[in-house]
């Protein structure tokens, strides 16, 4: 197993299949126009699957399809099947905004997708219009239900909590999960100052502590669910009636020490940290004839030198504001969360 300078294994790879998205969430893509990756730079399914096989040969066991919005990539079940066919892959998941999920959930399940996470920041359609510039809230809910019907159990729901925007909906979202009969579990994510979050400010971050205090006022004692995957970002909690939910405290209590994740952009740039300024270009060697062994050597060399603790380092920034302003994002779109894959 390949380990970095902090003994973190190369365990999990997030594969962004497109930088395009059909939402404009204010915490991720708040601008009106973007510089997109050139079409010819986007990896084909064969190229993506080949890189995935090389990563798996070095110890990766968990793959997650993401984007942008992964379901905007035509024929995603075909890529899913190619990845599911890699024998050592133990977990194959996808993060989606759910808009296009209902018609594809069954095909994705059949293709071998194991788990689905759907972003659901609000239960109020009018709020989604403001938060994500979309009036398709009903499609997201239909997507969640279709995923459950297709056998994804439970469907995880990601909610980015922003003060003054949706922090009054935490209990409603827990109730939504509960009403789905335990078939959906919400995970509240602290608002992060990732590239793309140009409107970020510390004042808008609702901390894990505040979330737990607010939910305890409503539900009484909340207990931590012990155990689970040490490298997984969400901490899970249980209400007295057994309902569970998660919190990803990536801003106030980052978990860099256990981070085994890296990210491959749709154009084949590999980022070893969500906050990293530079990535490793895998497309160029891939397209100029590198062997699997040469690609594996490049990946190994990069990983064993990895020192990144991006989220922890952000904690020590005195005047913390947005990571990048818009000009810096335009200069290199790979700095965007929607390009490197959430
Ligand atoms: N389009 C898909 C979706 O909406 O789930 C996948 C890509 S999206 C970038 C992946 C995840 O990143 C989402 O769950 C989203 O909530 C999260 N995310 C994006 N910007 C964030 C921010 N500033 N803080 C915390 N989470 C963020």
């Amino acid at each position: 197993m390949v380990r970095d300078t902090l003994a973190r294994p190369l365990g999990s790879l997030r594969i962004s299949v497109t930088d395009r998205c059909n939402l404009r969430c204010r915490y991720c893509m708040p601008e009106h126009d973007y510089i997109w990756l050139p079409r010819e730079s986007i990896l084909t399914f064969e190229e993506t699957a080949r890189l995935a096989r090389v990563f798996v040969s070095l110890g990766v066991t968990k793959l997650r399809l993401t984007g942008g919005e992964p379901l905007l990539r035509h024929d995603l079940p075909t890529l899913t099947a190619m990845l599911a066919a890699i024998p050592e892959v133990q977990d194959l998941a996808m993060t989606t905004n759910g808009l296009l999920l209902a018609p594809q959930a069954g095909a994705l399940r059949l293709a071998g997708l194991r788990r689905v996470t759907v972003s659901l920041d609000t239960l109020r359609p009018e709020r989604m219009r403001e938060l994500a510039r979309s009036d398709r809230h009903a499609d997201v809910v239909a997507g969640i239900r279709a995923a459950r019907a297709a056998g994804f159990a439970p469907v995880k729901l990601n909610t980015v909590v922003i003060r003054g925007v949706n922090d009054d909906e935490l209990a409603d979202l827990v109730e939504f999960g509960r009403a789905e009969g335990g078939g959906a579990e919400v995970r509240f994510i602290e608002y992060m100052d990732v590239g793309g979050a140009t409107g970020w400010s510390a004042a808008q971050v609702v901390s894990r502590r505040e979330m737990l205090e607010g939910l305890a006022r409503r539900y009484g004692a909340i207990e931590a669910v012990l155990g689970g995957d040490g490298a997984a970002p969400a901490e899970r909690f249980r209400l007295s009636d057994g309902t569970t939910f998660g919190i990803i405290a990536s801003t106030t209590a980052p978990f860099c020490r256990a981070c085994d994740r890296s990210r491959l952009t749709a154009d084949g740039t590999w980022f070893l940290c969500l906050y990293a300024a530079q990535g490793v270009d895998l497309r160029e060697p891939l397209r100029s004839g590198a062997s699997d062994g040469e690609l594996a050597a490049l990946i190994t060399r990069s990983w064993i030198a990895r020192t990144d603790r991006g989220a922890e380092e952000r904690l020590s920034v005195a005047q913390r504001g947005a990571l990048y302003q818009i000009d810096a994002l335009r200069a290199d779109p790979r700095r965007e969360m929607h390009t490197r894959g959430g």
Side-chain angles (χ1 to χ4, degrees):
M1 187 179 277
V2 184
R3 289 184 181 270
D4 72 4
T5 59
L6 298 173
R8 298 170 295 189
L10 177 60
S12 140
L13 181 70
R14 299 190 174 205
I15 301 174
S16 173
V17 292
T18 178
D19 56 334
R20 308 266 168 164
C21 192
N22 44 5
L23 289 184
R24 287 292 178 272
C25 300
R26 61 186 275 171
Y27 52 78
C28 188
M29 297 185 76
E31 312 301 330
H32 279 276
D33 38 59
Y34 283 92
I35 310 251
W36 306 108
L37 296 174
R39 200 166 281 272
E40 63 282 3
S41 75
I42 303 296
L43 300 186
T44 63
F45 285 173
E46 287 70 23
E47 289 173 326
T48 304
R50 180 166 167 221
L51 284 180
R53 282 192 293 273
V54 174
F55 276 101
V56 168
S57 75
L58 295 171
V60 166
T61 57
K62 294 178 275 180
L63 300 177
R64 177 174 291 272
L65 296 168
T66 181
E69 172 45 42
L71 293 176
L72 284 178
R73 183 78 185 250
H74 181 65
D75 200 15
L76 199 63
T78 296
L79 176 63
T80 305
M82 291 163 81
L83 300 176
I86 306 172
E88 299 87 350
V89 172
Q90 290 165 14
D91 190 17
L92 181 56
M94 177 179 67
T95 305
T96 171
N97 62 31
L99 291 188
L100 301 170
L101 183 56
Q104 296 204 60
L108 288 162
R109 182 80 186 162
L110 278 178
L113 191 69
R114 304 257 182 97
R115 299 192 298 125
V116 172
T117 301
V118 181
S119 291
L120 181 71
D121 296 315
T122 178
L123 295 172
R124 303 183 195 172
E126 73 283 3
R127 194 169 264 183
M128 181 173 173
R129 228 167 275 139
E130 232 171 71
L131 179 60
R133 288 191 241 141
S134 169
D135 57 8
R136 297 180 57 187
H137 192 271
D139 290 342
V140 180
V141 175
I144 293 166
R145 303 222 161 110
R148 288 194 53 210
F152 293 102
V155 175
K156 292 206 177 129
L157 307 175
N158 271 357
T159 303
V160 179
V161 182
I162 305 181
R163 193 182 309 285
V165 173
N166 62 348
D167 54 335
D168 55 349
E169 282 194 69
L170 270 57
D172 292 347
L173 285 154
V174 169
E175 293 298 323
F176 177 85
R178 191 211 305 264
E180 294 293 306
E185 182 176 295
V186 67
R187 295 134 41 104
F188 299 113
I189 307 177
E190 289 180 353
Y191 185 17
M192 296 172 72
D193 56 347
V194 289
T198 44
W200 188 92
S201 70
Q204 295 171 84
V205 177
V206 180
S207 68
R208 168 181 57 185
R209 185 179 52 74
E210 285 178 274
M211 294 187 211
L212 286 172
E213 283 170 2
L215 287 166
R217 277 196 292 279
R218 159 89 178 247
Y219 292 108
I222 295 174
E223 62 173 16
V225 178
L226 300 174
D229 175 356
E235 291 167 88
R236 294 179 70 231
F237 298 91
R238 190 183 291 115
L239 305 179
S240 55
D241 71 352
T243 305
T244 51
F245 64 95
I247 297 183
I248 302 183
S250 27
T251 301
T252 65
F255 28 82
C256 300
R257 301 279 161 174
C259 178
D260 69 349
R261 278 174 297 285
S262 63
R263 295 173 156 83
L264 185 66
T265 63
D267 73 345
T269 312
W270 180 44
F271 285 92
L272 283 65
C273 175
L274 187 49
Y275 286 90
Q278 305 291 334
V280 179
D281 181 2
L282 299 181
R283 184 183 77 252
E284 196 282 323
L286 181 75
R287 289 192 177 167
S288 54
S291 66
D292 284 359
E294 285 163 341
L295 290 167
L298 172 58
I299 293 167
T300 303
R301 259 197 325 276
S302 308
W303 190 263
I304 60 178
R306 178 186 190 237
T307 54
D308 301 76
R309 296 185 303 109
E312 285 176 3
E313 279 163 7
R314 292 293 294 162
L315 270 183
S316 55
V317 174
Q319 295 293 321
R320 194 167 170 186
L323 181 64
Y324 294 114
Q325 298 303 327
I326 186 64
D327 290 348
L329 294 170
R330 294 231 162 92
D332 183 356
R334 295 184 199 84
R335 291 173 173 153
E336 298 269 9
M337 173 80 154
H338 72 264
T339 306
R340 58 182 61 180

